[in-house]
Amino acid sequence: MKSIRMALTFKLAALFLGILISMGFCPVKTEASAKVIGLYSVKVDSGYLALRNEKAYDSSNEIGKLYTGDYVLPIGSTSSSDEYWYVYSYDQGKLGYVNSSYLVYEGRLKNEEYYDVKVDSGYLALRKEKAYDSSNEIGKLYTGDSVLLLNDSDSSYWIVYSPDLMKAGYVNKDYLK
């Protein structure tokens, strides 16, 4: 009697699985990660959106001009209550602040290129500028940390984003593998 129940249970499970598969419910391998990053585009009615070096409307702090269709990658908090977001501009190749009212969510960033940090001892400094100076350190990266490559146009310092620190900055590229 017990073996008949077991056989019936297996047949019902196989039937149920067959029904789910025929309905399109297939198990799909996904990568759950806190490293998912949203991509945004600029949308202005006319003119440009200023990329700024501070969270303030002031013509003296403009470091670039973004136009409708340009893409930015928010770095850190993207709260709708924050007027200014810190972003990486793909078109300008720079980090700066923009008025978040002019950004439109385009979806998840695709084709990310991550690098692993490899230092013999200590840490790799994440910097706010392309220079070796203890006063410009904004974070510490250790062997095994992963960073998203944003810009590799400089021969020594690359712009990267650290999902763990939720910060972007410059690192010496010789310590990325």
Side-chain angles (χ1 to χ4, degrees):
M1 187 68 143
K2 190 174 185 179
S3 64
I4 294 174
R5 261 191 284 181
M6 289 274 284
L8 185 57
T9 301
F10 284 120
K11 286 182 182 180
L12 285 173
L15 177 63
F16 181 68
L17 185 59
I19 291 170
L20 286 176
I21 290 172
S22 69
M23 293 175 62
F25 294 104
C26 299
V28 177
K29 182 181 177 193
T30 61
E31 292 184 29
S33 172
K35 297 179 182 179
V36 173
I37 300 170
L39 185 65
Y40 288 76
S41 66
V42 172
K43 184 170 190 237
V44 291
D45 294 331
S46 64
Y48 64 91
L49 174 62
L51 184 66
R52 304 179 181 282
N53 61 13
E54 295 178 27
K55 291 182 183 183
Y57 176 77
D58 183 344
S59 60
S60 68
N61 68 13
E62 287 187 19
I63 58 173
K65 297 178 180 181
L66 304 174
Y67 298 93
T68 295
D70 289 352
Y71 289 100
V72 297
L73 187 70
I75 307 299
S77 173
T78 55
S79 170
S80 59
S81 64
D82 293 337
E83 181 179 4
Y84 285 92
W85 287 359
Y86 191 61
V87 300
Y88 173 75
S89 165
Y90 284 100
D91 299 285
Q92 296 288 313
K94 296 177 183 176
L95 294 162
Y97 294 94
V98 296
N99 185 320
S100 64
S101 302
Y102 298 98
L103 300 181
V104 177
Y105 180 70
E106 296 291 340
R108 181 178 172 253
L109 180 65
K110 299 195 180 3
N111 302 321
E112 304 102 346
E113 189 173 354
Y114 282 91
Y115 281 80
D116 291 327
V117 173
K118 174 82 168 83
V119 290
D120 293 330
S121 64
Y123 63 91
L124 173 62
L126 184 66
R127 303 179 180 283
K128 61 182 172 185
E129 296 178 29
K130 294 190 247 184
Y132 177 78
D133 184 346
S134 60
S135 68
N136 72 11
E137 288 185 17
I138 58 172
K140 296 178 180 182
L141 301 167
Y142 297 92
T143 295
D145 289 349
S146 291
V147 294
L148 171 65
L149 177 64
L150 298 176
N151 187 317
D152 64 356
S153 63
D154 189 87
S155 62
S156 299
Y157 285 93
W158 288 356
I159 301 175
V160 299
Y161 172 70
S162 167
D164 295 332
L165 299 176
M166 292 181 62
K167 292 182 180 180
Y170 297 91
V171 296
N172 184 322
K173 71 161 183 83
D174 293 337
Y175 298 97
L176 299 179
K177 307 295 176 215

